[in-house]
């Protein structure tokens, strides 16, 4: 009975037990400061990934093809053309801000040094195949790009009735680094900081 009163903060005779406010220590301040820093790192990591995310999508059906380019989640370019205006898919490489065709006579060792990607060519208003969709401005690899080109050409020849190509990235090296460091640091703060209940009990004991 006495213990029940004490747990409720009531002393026998109607009096109330005085509650002692937790004492703020230097360790607690450092622990909360470390958690704040970890949350800032996580926020900066996710923000960097979001602001630098890029995607390029080509969707085609039996009647038309639509190309969409997104940056940081915002639509930057959208072009829709009739299916018959699509000419072919071609291997290319990105250099000096331009997409260039890969020379046929290039050696395998020299090809590996290029920023390999692919483009989808289509006719202009005069019917000439001078326009193209740049599917990536970063390295996709020779084998991957060649498979994508085969998909485009299979769609053009009628082997397939639809086409969907999506290239992009939503993670950056800096963003992933910030997120990893922030998460590991947050776990360490919980284990070694003043948030561990077992650690607090040992100190009180």
């Amino acid at each position: 009975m006495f213990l029940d009163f004490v747990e409720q903060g009531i002393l026998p005779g109607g009096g109330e037990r005085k509650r002692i406010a937790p004492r703020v220590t230097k360790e607690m301040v450092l622990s909360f400061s470390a958690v704040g820093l970890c949350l800032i790192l996580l926020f900066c990591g996710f923000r960097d990934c979001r602001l630098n995310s890029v995607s390029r999508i080509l969707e085609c059906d039996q009647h038309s093809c639509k190309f969409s380019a997104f940056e940081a989640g915002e639509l930057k370019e959208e072009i829709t053309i009739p299916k018959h205006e699509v000419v072919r898919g071609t291997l290319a490489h990105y250099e000096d801000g331009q997409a260039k065709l890969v020379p046929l006579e290039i050696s395998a060792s020299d090809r590996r040094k290029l920023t390999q990607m692919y483009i989808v060519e289509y006719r202009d208003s005069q019917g000439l195949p001078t326009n193209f969709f740049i599917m990536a401005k970063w390295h996709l690899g020779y084998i991957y790009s060649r498979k994508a080109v085969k998909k485009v050409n299979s769609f053009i020849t009628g082997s397939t009735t639809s086409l969907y190509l999506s290239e992009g990235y939503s993670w950056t090296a800096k963003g992933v680094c910030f997120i990893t460091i922030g998460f590991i640091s947050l776990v360490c703060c919980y284990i070694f900081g003043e948030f561990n209940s077992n650690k607090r009990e040992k100190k009180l004991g």
Side-chain angles (χ1 to χ4, degrees), residues 2 8 52 93 116 125:
F2 177 77
Q8 298 176 11
N52 293 283
H93 66 100
Q116 299 178 61
S125 58

Side-chain angles (χ1 to χ4, degrees), residues 31-170:
S31 296
F32 279 104
S33 300
V35 170
L37 180 60
C38 295
L39 294 177
I40 292 175
L41 285 173
L42 290 172
F43 172 78
C44 292
F46 283 111
R47 184 174 183 273
D48 185 78
C49 291
R50 184 181 65 83
L51 293 179
N52 293 283
S53 63
V54 176
S55 63
R56 294 169 176 265
I57 301 172
L58 180 64
E59 298 177 276
C60 299
D61 55 24
Q62 296 180 354
H63 305 287
S64 62
C65 289
K66 183 175 73 172
F67 173 78
S68 305
F70 296 87
E71 294 182 10
E74 297 182 1
L75 180 64
K76 295 297 183 179
E77 183 181 8
E78 185 175 78
I79 301 175
T80 302
I81 60 174
K83 175 189 173 181
H84 63 83
E85 291 187 359
V86 181
V87 179
R88 63 178 174 270
T90 308
L91 290 174
H93 66 100
Y94 198 77
E95 182 181 359
D96 298 330
Q98 295 181 345
K100 301 179 180 180
L101 298 180
V102 177
L104 298 176
E105 66 277 5
I106 192 172
S107 63
S109 59
D110 291 334
R111 185 188 296 116
R112 284 192 290 267
K113 300 176 183 178
L114 302 176
T115 304
Q116 299 178 61
M117 33 74 79
Y118 65 98
I119 60 176
V120 179
E121 300 181 56
Y122 64 95
R123 296 182 179 89
D124 59 13
S125 58
Q126 298 179 353
L128 300 176
T130 56
N131 295 333
F132 50 84
F133 299 128
I134 300 176
M135 295 305 297
K137 296 181 180 180
W138 55 91
H139 183 69
L140 294 177
Y142 173 73
I143 297 177
Y144 179 88
S145 299
R146 187 175 61 180
K147 289 181 178 179
V149 168
K150 286 183 177 179
K151 290 181 180 179
V152 175
N153 295 334
S154 296
F155 171 74
I156 295 172
T157 57
S159 300
T160 57
T161 58
S162 62
L163 176 68
Y164 181 84
L165 297 172
S166 177
E167 311 298 344
Y169 56 85
S170 56

